[in-house]
Amino acid sequence: MPGLPRSDADALMPATPFTTEADFLAAYNRRDYDSPLSPVDVAIFTLREHRLRVLLVKRNDFPHKDRWAMPGGFIDLARDDSLEAAALRKLTEKTGVATPYLEQWGAVGNAHRDPRGWSVTVVYFALIPFVEPPAGSDARWFDLDETAALPLAF
């Protein structure tokens, strides 16, 4: 039932009227259950001048306009066939920087991270050779020490 935690909703539902998995799936409406926002984020690191740096992008839109954030964004159900594909796409779109490898670090989720609503983000990371983001990009490398003083999003 909409609005109830899944276990409570399942307890209130009558026994299934379906006889096959195909019938059940044909009638299933995923919008009957609340779903969190599902972005991916990418933490890209490099070593330059013997210092660890992280690649961040300045947000041009709300929420958190003009704050710095890890490159990332929402999964595109039509284009992304995996979480990693979404992370690689968002990294390239937001920074112009590509990497041949990403490692999944973990997931972070709660009701307060994103002002648009409950979200669960899957975070990827990589250590890559230094490459300057393309001219006109909103991406910039920061020494890790600098990030504590930055206005950060999310």
Side-chain angles (χ1 to χ4, degrees):
M1 306 197 99
L4 292 176
R6 179 145 178 115
S7 60
D8 293 343
D10 290 343
L12 297 174
M13 294 180 101
T16 180
F18 306 106
T19 57
T20 68
E21 185 88 2
D23 290 342
F24 168 77
L25 291 173
Y28 184 79
N29 182 357
R30 65 185 174 123
R31 290 180 181 17
D32 285 345
Y33 299 95
D34 290 338
S35 296
L37 301 170
S38 301
V40 293
D41 288 302
V42 186
I44 297 294
F45 300 96
T46 195
L47 286 172
R48 181 141 195 238
E49 300 167 355
H50 305 287
R51 299 192 53 94
L52 185 61
R53 298 177 184 221
V54 62
L55 187 63
L56 299 177
V57 293
K58 192 164 195 178
R59 291 188 51 82
N60 292 321
D61 295 316
F62 295 106
H64 300 302
K65 182 178 172 120
D66 296 326
R67 290 187 179 191
W68 293 95
M70 289 188 293
F74 292 108
I75 298 162
D76 184 329
L77 298 179
R79 294 194 299 172
D80 302 323
D81 63 355
S82 68
L83 292 167
E84 185 174 342
L88 288 166
R89 178 179 59 79
K90 295 311 291 184
L91 173 65
T92 304
E93 284 177 3
K94 300 272 177 127
T95 68
V97 173
T99 181
Y101 172 80
L102 285 175
E103 181 74 26
Q104 191 178 105
W105 173 77
V108 178
N110 62 52
H112 311 289
R113 175 182 179 278
D114 190 321
R116 293 170 286 196
W118 226 107
S119 72
V120 176
T121 187
V122 178
V123 182
Y124 285 82
F125 75 97
L127 177 64
I128 66 171
F130 178 80
V131 58
E132 199 66 58
S137 169
D138 293 319
R140 182 177 151 208
W141 292 103
F142 288 90
D143 283 352
L144 231 43
D145 302 357
E146 294 177 273
T147 60
L150 291 175
L152 295 173
F154 307 107

